Amino acid sequence: MINIQAPKADITITQRKQEIQGDEAVIKPLYGFIDLHEIPRDKGGIIQFFNHSGELLFVGKARKLRQRVKKHFEDNVSPLKNHRDEVHRIAVSIVEDPMEREIYETYLINTGKAKYNVDKVFYRD
């Protein structure tokens, strides 16, 4: 039996109302997220998207984390494209090794029963 422990989230950002200074927003939000700058742009890792209830919606991996998170909100082919409004919290774990990212992604999809992942799904409801 293989023992896998999910990586801890290094960065967690939560959807929140945009902060206003005078008539202008300080940071332009992307689907209510104004803290995307906290996600490193040059690191690889695992991304988990959660709803208000803490239910795991989607798990993904990336070589460049910030770019990939933004792409999930802007791209027309993202599995989240019809569910972006459900995302309330994003947890990011930095994992540089590509093989480890692959293993963790599959593990998290199946142990967390990610709602919108269709590939790498081995669990049965």
Side-chain angles (χ1 to χ4, degrees):
M1 173 105 180
I2 298 172
N3 185 16
I4 300 171
Q5 290 206 346
K8 301 277 187 235
D10 294 299
I11 298 135
T12 301
I13 59 174
T14 305
Q15 191 178 49
R16 60 185 186 165
K17 297 191 186 297
Q18 118 188 41
E19 298 171 16
I20 305 291
Q21 271 187 352
D23 294 333
E24 306 251 344
V26 177
I27 298 173
K28 184 179 175 191
L30 182 63
Y31 280 86
F33 292 94
I34 60 173
D35 296 328
L36 292 177
H37 65 279
E38 292 182 16
I39 300 171
R41 67 176 77 202
D42 59 344
K43 300 275 186 195
I46 301 294
I47 310 154
Q48 297 176 75
F49 297 87
F50 297 90
N51 65 13
H52 277 283
S53 310
E55 178 184 20
L56 183 59
L57 299 175
F58 185 78
V59 178
K61 65 182 182 310
R63 285 182 296 135
K64 296 184 178 188
L65 287 164
R66 187 185 317 169
Q67 179 180 341
R68 190 68 188 111
V69 169
K70 284 183 174 182
K71 214 167 188 166
H72 276 297
F73 286 106
E74 297 167 343
D75 206 85
N76 286 331
V77 296
S78 169
L80 285 175
K81 71 179 176 188
N82 296 323
H83 312 286
R84 292 174 178 142
D85 291 334
E86 290 181 55
V87 178
H88 176 70
R89 182 170 53 92
I90 303 168
V92 175
S93 304
I94 297 170
V95 180
E96 290 291 348
D97 184 278
M99 185 174 63
E100 288 180 17
R101 283 196 299 263
E102 191 72 39
I103 292 167
Y104 286 137
E105 180 189 34
T106 304
Y107 177 76
L108 290 168
I109 288 169
N110 288 282
T111 57
K113 297 186 178 182
K115 190 173 181 178
Y116 300 123
N117 281 90
V118 291
D119 294 329
K120 304 177 186 176
V121 176
F122 300 106
Y123 66 87
R124 302 262 188 253
D125 278 334

